[in-house]
Amino acid sequence: MAQAISSLIPLAGVDPQMVEDLLDRAFGPGRFQRTAYMVRQGTEALPALSFAALDEDELLVGTIQAWPVALTDAEGRAHPMIMVGPVAVLPERQGEGYGTALMLAQQQAIGDGPATLPQVLIGDAPYYGKFGFIAAPTQGWSLPGPYEKDRLLVRCANPAVLPREGMLGPWRG
């Protein structure tokens, strides 16, 4: 299908109930039990890194959020990161480029320099790999709920600096 994105706007400019309704449609009623929600529990989304996609009729069709999280290593040191997601697009509008546009907008807002915080997400490696996310550095990491190790992905300028082991959870800095 042809991409019909009219605009990307800050998520803060959208009625929060509309965002919740979109997330319910995209992920279903059990979404609050997902491990990603536990990882970011008690934090607020980062407004400068959270966007909404509007279609040609200015209707909300997709969102992306970012959250402050940290990987706490074996010595108790917290390594701050940005958790990407949820990336949500209305089921009937998937495959039209909205998810890609949202990911690219967020990555542009985050930047890509050596001082850029690593980004982490739980998702499909074949899809998120095209944005630079990989699973190899995360294999020794733990999460506060169930997950498939090959779906825990990270994007980082230099993955060698990441701790090999640790627990991912909310940033409490």
Side-chain angles (χ1 to χ4, degrees):
M1 290 192 135
Q3 188 171 339
I5 298 171
S6 174
S7 59
L8 295 177
I9 63 170
L11 191 60
V14 176
D15 177 354
Q17 187 57 55
M18 291 177 68
V19 174
E20 292 301 313
D21 292 346
L22 184 142
L23 292 171
D24 284 344
R25 291 211 35 227
F27 297 111
R31 68 183 171 97
F32 292 105
Q33 280 70 51
R34 289 174 169 240
T35 298
Y37 280 80
M38 293 181 229
V39 170
R40 62 183 189 252
Q41 185 175 21
T43 65
E44 296 290 327
L46 301 167
L49 303 178
S50 299
F51 299 95
L54 306 179
D55 70 6
E56 63 279 359
D57 297 320
E58 297 296 311
L59 298 175
L60 178 66
V61 294
T63 64
I64 189 170
Q65 296 177 40
W67 306 80
V69 298
L71 183 72
T72 303
D73 65 23
E75 288 77 40
R77 291 182 302 236
H79 301 263
M81 298 184 175
I82 297 168
M83 185 165 208
V84 173
V87 181
V89 176
L90 290 174
E92 66 272 17
R93 301 303 298 263
Q94 292 177 2
E96 295 181 34
Y98 291 105
T100 296
L102 289 162
M103 286 293 298
L104 292 173
Q106 187 180 69
Q107 283 188 331
Q108 183 176 12
I110 290 171
D112 205 16
T116 301
L117 289 178
Q119 297 107 63
V120 63
L121 60 77
I122 302 171
D124 295 325
Y127 179 78
Y128 292 105
K130 65 185 175 185
F131 304 105
F133 284 87
I134 57 175
T138 69
Q139 297 307 291
W141 298 2
S142 299
L143 299 181
Y147 71 102
E148 298 170 33
K149 284 199 176 283
D150 63 336
R151 291 177 50 82
L152 181 59
L153 309 174
V154 67
R155 178 178 179 263
C156 178
N158 182 6
V161 303
L162 297 170
R164 295 174 75 92
E165 297 179 348
M167 172 62 83
L168 194 62
W171 171 250
R172 305 278 188 219

